[in-house]
Amino acid sequence: MRILITAAVASLLQTCLAANAADWRSRTIYQVFTDRFARTDGNTTAPCNVANNLYCGGTWKGLEKKLDYIKNMGFTAVWISPITAQVANAYHGYYQNDLYSLNPNFGTAHDLRSLAAALHSKGMYLMVDIVPNHMAFAGCPDKIDYRRLKTLNHPDKFHSYCPIKDTGNQTELEDCWLGDCNMAMPDIKTEDPQIAGKMNTWIKWLVSAHNIDGLRIDSVKNVNKAFFPPFCRAAGVFCMGEVSEGRADYTYSYQEQMDSVLDYPLYYAITRVFQQKSNMSDLVVALAACTENQETGCKDSTLLGTFFENHDNLRFANVTQDLSLVKNALAFTMLGDGIPIVYQGQEQHFAGGDDPWCREALWSSQFNTTSPLYKYTALLNNIRNHVISHSSSSSRHRNHHGYAVSGSAPYLAYQTRVLAYTATEMQLRKGEVRTVLSTQGEQSPSWTLKTQGMEFDTGKTVLDVLSCTRYAVNWNGEVDVNMRAGGPVVLVEEDVLRGSDLCTCERGGGSRGYVGIETVGGGEWGPHGS
Ligand SMILES: *[C@@H]1O[C@H](CO)[C@@H](O)[C@H](O)[C@H]1NC(C)=O
Ligand SMILES: *[C@@H]1O[C@H](CO)[C@@H](O)[C@H](O)[C@H]1NC(C)=O
Ligand SMILES: *[C@@H]1O[C@H](CO)[C@@H](O)[C@H](O)[C@H]1NC(C)=O
Ligand SMILES: *[C@@H]1O[C@H](CO)[C@@H](O)[C@H](O)[C@H]1NC(C)=O
Ligand SMILES: *[C@@H]1O[C@H](CO)[C@@H](O)[C@H](O)[C@H]1NC(C)=O
């Protein structure tokens, strides 16, 4: 009897711990590259030569000790590198050889559970990267010792070897092998029901044993589509897939198989427009491909993972150090549809090139919380988090961590609309938030932009929450905004800011009034991070 009750309670806990898509929609994710975030000893002068492709010493314990660095930037979830045991030197975690063991370089099972508990106590979610496509063996495909691949320890668990030669051939992508003669990557036969069953058992165990709230799934386009719905059901938590492909129809089709995919089509448009200053219409077309086109469309734009840096691609600042351009790109990502993802080091304006150069040790920044993009990221998260809670204040409830969530909040449900655009500017609306973006850069002179289609309430006061400049709404519901140093501008009606610490008066002992219509310059209306 006692055993029965315990089992019942355990299964109940299991059920209500599982975070689903609605729980994740309101989140923002900070991507941690575990080996390069923080060390257990807290050493910030330990060397890390990215060119060596070797472990640099980051751990789950090190991360746990530095969670406030992430939380104080306003993030509500952390994505970490794959946790499974690896072949030698696989510091990134994508070369696993044992599904049921953890990577001892990152710590123990106890350390990982402790990290999950620490995140949950701060109201944050844990997202773990997983690799259902392949195992790894350091050698040629014909030399594999299958006994080394613990759970799947026989060649019949894998497709017979063929290299992927034509990446445009879907059969080849799914059935042939990634890797080469330095690193063979035996391709798991995920379409075999028995093997799929083993994978489902594994993921169910992985999620519950480590209190995981969501999964980032690697190499999705190399796995048969039908594998995913039962796999994600077995996981019982939010699934976001990596389909590293810019074609909207191809990538978004995978959202039929799982809750979310990383928005690679939008990633390419963001970098073309803000990094390379291509025509803003490029971004307009990319947005429409997801939300307005039947052929290429996505199932739910508000669940896509939006980003413009990660551990596989050159960083924004490798192309341009213009602070206005990166701020515009970040405002677009953080205040648009989708679940925003920021990759560690973005907030420190790291400038590494393609893999492995974009995998710098974050500790080299001394975890600087006063650097401009750290403060700016905190401000954007503050805006997003505040508007979500403001927008849902009538329908608010609390989840199992006591954290306010809002599955059906108007702001989150509001699909971003393009109000107007030119080759260099774009005006957007998502619910209470209107954004003006520009690609003119930080050197551009100040000018006045007349908004179009904002539909503010006449007679209201609107604030640019980035500069805390106040504007009176015209008779036609528009404002004339001051574009300084290339923007961006983020406009909300004054009422929306009630209850936040955004644009509160820093002088005058906590008084929160605003006096007159004035422009910044005196430093009186300083933006507050969280
Ligand atoms: C940090 O690591 C560096 C290089 O390995 C070493 O010289 C230094 O003594 C370490 N600092 C501490 C406080 O352990
Ligand atoms: C795709 O690859 C498979 C397996 O290599 C091959 O049998 C098939 O002919 C290829 N299809 C096309 C259209 O090239
Ligand atoms: C871009 O990345 C490459 C490779 O890491 C590096 O050599 C170059 O210095 C980087 N550019 C900038 C501006 O940092
Ligand atoms: C942190 O960043 C600020 C602003 O860029 C800089 O002035 C300061 O020296 C940095 N602090 C450390 C410890 O690097
Ligand atoms: C930008 O794109 C729009 C729409 O395609 C086009 O009409 C315009 O001429 C382009 N402007 C420039 C400067 O390329």
Side-chain angles (χ1 to χ4, degrees):
M1 190 58 189
R2 158 170 278 164
I3 290 166
L4 275 178
I5 289 169
T6 311
V9 169
S11 96
L12 199 69
L13 276 174
Q14 171 72 43
T15 322
C16 61
L17 268 171
N20 62 21
D23 298 323
W24 276 88
R25 187 179 273 115
S26 59
R27 303 269 152 171
T28 54
I29 302 172
Y30 184 78
Q31 182 192 351
V32 164
F33 195 79
T34 307
D35 181 55
R36 308 285 162 86
F37 183 75
R39 293 161 52 103
T40 304
D41 64 10
N43 194 330
T44 54
T45 55
C48 180
N49 184 347
V50 292
N52 291 343
N53 282 304
L54 296 172
Y55 282 104
C56 287
T59 58
W60 297 318
K61 224 0 128 194
L63 169 57
E64 183 184 334
K65 290 178 183 172
K66 282 287 171 200
L67 283 185
D68 282 342
Y69 171 85
I70 300 171
K71 185 180 165 62
N72 291 341
M73 236 184 312
F75 289 99
T76 47
V78 173
W79 148 18
I80 60 173
S81 304
I83 61 178
T84 47
Q86 304 284 311
V87 304
N89 302 330
Y91 67 95
H92 42 66
Y94 297 102
Y95 297 161
Q96 65 200 357
N97 61 8
D98 184 355
L99 294 175
Y100 281 95
S101 298
L102 297 179
N103 184 343
N105 289 280
F106 295 163
T108 63
H110 180 265
D111 294 345
L112 185 52
R113 271 196 299 274
S114 172
L115 170 63
L119 281 163
H120 294 157
S121 77
K122 291 174 190 292
M124 297 163 88
Y125 281 164
L126 174 63
M127 172 176 272
V128 169
D129 208 327
I130 56 156
V131 188
N133 178 63
H134 57 264
M135 301 296 285
F137 181 86
C140 283
D142 59 345
K143 296 287 184 299
I144 296 175
D145 175 0
Y146 281 92
R147 286 163 307 178
R148 302 271 284 273
L149 309 178
K150 310 282 158 52
T151 327
L152 305 168
N153 57 359
H154 194 275
D156 68 8
K157 304 289 190 291
F158 302 94
H159 294 118
S160 46
Y161 175 71
C162 52
I164 296 172
K165 286 197 199 122
D166 175 7
T167 53
N169 181 325
Q170 190 62 29
T171 312
E172 263 189 52
L173 280 180
E174 292 177 13
D175 296 350
C176 294
W177 295 21
L178 293 167
D180 51 32
C181 230
N182 295 315
M183 193 59 63
M185 298 193 199
D187 201 76
I188 302 173
K189 215 191 255 177
T190 44
E191 73 283 7
D192 178 314
Q194 254 183 334
I195 295 164
K198 272 185 191 290
M199 296 301 285
N200 295 349
T201 305
W202 167 68
I203 200 61
K204 194 172 173 180
W205 167 80
L206 193 86
V207 165
S208 70
H210 306 102
N211 296 323
I212 295 167
D213 305 295
L215 299 172
R216 182 269 188 189
I217 308 178
D218 186 63
S219 304
V220 160
K221 66 181 175 189
N222 299 103
V223 177
N224 57 308
K225 280 187 170 175
F227 170 76
F228 290 109
F231 181 75
C232 286
R233 267 199 304 280
V237 292
F238 179 65
C239 283
M240 178 186 283
E242 179 220 22
V243 182
S244 54
E245 165 62 54
R247 271 164 37 224
D249 58 342
Y250 184 88
T251 300
Y252 295 145
S253 72
Y254 283 88
Q255 207 184 14
E256 300 294 331
Q257 319 300 322
M258 61 188 80
D259 300 312
S260 169
V261 293
L262 287 159
D263 201 340
Y264 262 102
L266 198 59
Y267 158 78
Y268 287 111
I270 293 170
T271 50
R272 281 193 303 268
V273 167
F274 294 109
Q275 246 180 3
Q276 293 138 36
K277 296 193 172 196
S278 86
N279 195 323
M280 195 63 96
S281 65
D282 202 342
L283 205 50
V284 177
V285 169
L287 283 172
C290 172
T291 59
E292 281 164 32
N293 188 315
Q294 295 280 350
E295 313 267 285
T296 59
C298 55
K299 192 170 168 195
D300 184 348
S301 65
T302 69
L303 288 175
L304 298 173
T306 49
F307 67 97
F308 61 87
E309 284 186 26
N310 61 28
H311 58 296
D312 288 329
N313 295 285
L314 59 76
R315 291 188 183 268
F316 195 91
N318 195 254
V319 177
T320 170
Q321 268 96 60
D322 188 299
L323 213 49
S324 163
L325 290 176
V326 71
K327 284 184 168 183
N328 276 278
L330 205 55
F332 176 77
T333 311
M334 301 272 301
L335 300 174
D337 294 343
I339 302 171
I341 305 171
V342 168
Y343 172 51
Q344 66 172 59
Q346 270 186 259
E347 75 280 13
Q348 300 295 348
H349 216 191
F350 280 2
D354 278 313
D355 165 18
W357 304 99
C358 54
R359 298 172 174 188
E360 310 94 321
L362 186 73
W363 58 77
S364 67
S365 72
Q366 312 296 314
F367 301 96
N368 193 337
T369 57
T370 60
S371 57
L373 289 180
Y374 183 95
K375 290 194 289 187
Y376 180 72
T377 306
L379 176 56
L380 290 176
N381 261 323
N382 192 357
I383 295 166
R384 184 175 191 270
N385 292 336
H386 172 71
V387 172
I388 289 170
S389 65
H390 173 273
S391 189
S392 66
S393 45
S394 55
S395 64
R396 172 181 296 208
H397 63 283
R398 288 183 181 275
N399 73 359
H400 55 284
H401 302 311
Y403 196 87
V405 293
S406 44
S408 57
Y411 173 78
L412 289 172
Y414 195 108
Q415 209 166 52
T416 293
R417 282 197 291 136
V418 176
L419 305 177
Y421 68 99
T422 62
T424 52
E425 269 75 36
M426 175 158 67
Q427 300 179 45
L428 294 162
R429 176 171 185 184
K430 182 175 174 65
E432 294 90 326
V433 181
R434 281 82 155 178
T435 309
V436 183
L437 302 174
S438 171
T439 58
Q440 297 200 40
E442 61 189 355
Q443 300 299 331
S444 68
S446 292
W447 58 291
T448 301
L449 176 142
K450 290 185 178 304
T451 65
Q452 282 172 269
M454 295 271 168
E455 296 180 352
F456 286 119
D457 278 351
T458 306
K460 287 263 170 88
T461 298
V462 162
L463 273 100
D464 168 10
V465 278
L466 300 183
S467 66
C468 297
T469 310
R470 312 172 79 240
Y471 298 103
V473 177
N474 298 339
W475 60 272
N476 59 350
E478 305 295 339
V479 289
D480 293 348
V481 295
N482 183 12
M483 296 294 289
R484 286 177 310 121
V489 165
V490 175
L491 301 167
V492 296
E493 287 178 1
E494 191 171 22
D495 310 348
V496 175
L497 296 183
R498 204 158 287 142
S500 79
D501 62 356
L502 293 158
C503 297
T504 50
C505 184
E506 286 186 320
R507 250 171 21 193
S511 115
R512 295 199 61 250
Y514 302 104
V515 189
I517 306 289
E518 58 178 56
T519 47
V520 237
E524 192 175 352
W525 309 96
H528 269 204
S530 67

